[in-house]
Amino acid sequence: TTGLSSIAHICFVLNIGPILLEVYQYLYVYRTEEYQTGKEKNYRLKLSTDKVVAAANASIAKLGDGPAQAKARGKQQVKINQAKSALADGQAKLAALTAKYKFATFVISVAAFWHLSSLYSGQVVAVLPFPPPPFVRSLLTLRSLPPSSAASSLNFRSVFLLCNLGPKAVVNATMARIKGDEQGGMKAVFQSEQMKKLMKRMGYTEDDMEGMDEVMKMLPAM
């Protein structure tokens, strides 16, 4: 089966699990007093760390050469390291509250990908109204399609990539804003280590992923 029904099926299977997990986290994790308190504490800690680092760097910049100055630079660097370490610890504690859900989301996404990849192996899932440029064809791994396929044909991996550029990115961007995170959305999705690992499993090369990074730099934040 090809066309809108296949695309709808792929979008549904890929997104239903992560979306339900995000909704569950919003209701039972992000709205809890523990999470809200931790987020507020990290916000204050970030402001404090920025002040400490700025003051220490300003002090270091005024120092000259010599043993005494080197010792003073060392003390200022210790202050910077301690402030950054405290911030990292706070962020790690907050991230621990959602770690199991993020891992579950990753496992569900991988399982959905392999299930759909097997189901639609070697099939034309959709057809674009125009042939994509050579770079885009390489990025979408259209090489797996039968030689007789039209140049504008899309396989499952192509639709998988577009699904992540579309509905899933919107969900991530929306939830990032609700949670008050500084990062989220399309760029965070594709630049995350989990996505890079998944793309490698899908058969993307380092050149393909570098090309995707360049595309992400040209896109506005969602």
Side-chain angles (χ1 to χ4, degrees), residues 13-154:
V13 173
L14 289 176
N15 289 289
I16 187 61
I19 288 174
L20 290 177
L21 278 174
E22 283 288 358
V23 171
Y24 180 87
Q25 289 180 83
Y26 172 68
L27 294 175
Y28 299 103
V29 179
Y30 302 131
R31 297 175 65 184
T32 62
E33 182 178 353
E34 181 181 11
Y35 186 88
Q36 293 298 323
T37 301
K39 187 174 72 172
E40 180 63 26
K41 182 179 178 180
N42 277 354
Y43 175 74
R44 294 195 299 268
L45 195 57
K46 177 70 166 58
L47 295 178
S48 174
T49 299
D50 290 342
K51 290 181 180 179
V52 170
V53 171
N57 284 332
S59 299
I60 291 173
K62 296 178 181 179
L63 297 174
D65 298 325
Q69 287 79 2
K71 186 176 181 180
R73 278 195 294 271
K75 289 182 178 179
Q76 295 299 327
Q77 190 60 50
V78 169
K79 290 183 180 179
I80 293 175
N81 293 340
Q82 288 177 340
K84 289 184 176 180
S85 178
L87 177 60
D89 288 343
Q91 292 173 335
K93 289 179 181 178
L94 190 64
L97 297 176
T98 61
K100 60 183 179 181
Y101 300 104
K102 290 181 179 179
F103 179 74
T105 299
F106 177 70
V107 171
I108 290 173
S109 297
V110 171
F113 167 77
W114 287 116
H115 167 69
L116 292 170
S117 181
S118 174
L119 187 63
Y120 291 98
S121 177
Q123 296 185 32
V124 175
V125 176
V127 179
L128 294 173
F130 54 86
F135 164 74
V136 177
R137 286 184 59 80
S138 176
L139 186 64
L140 297 179
T141 61
L142 298 177
R143 297 180 294 270
S144 62
L145 286 174
S148 58
S149 302
S152 56
S153 300
L154 296 179

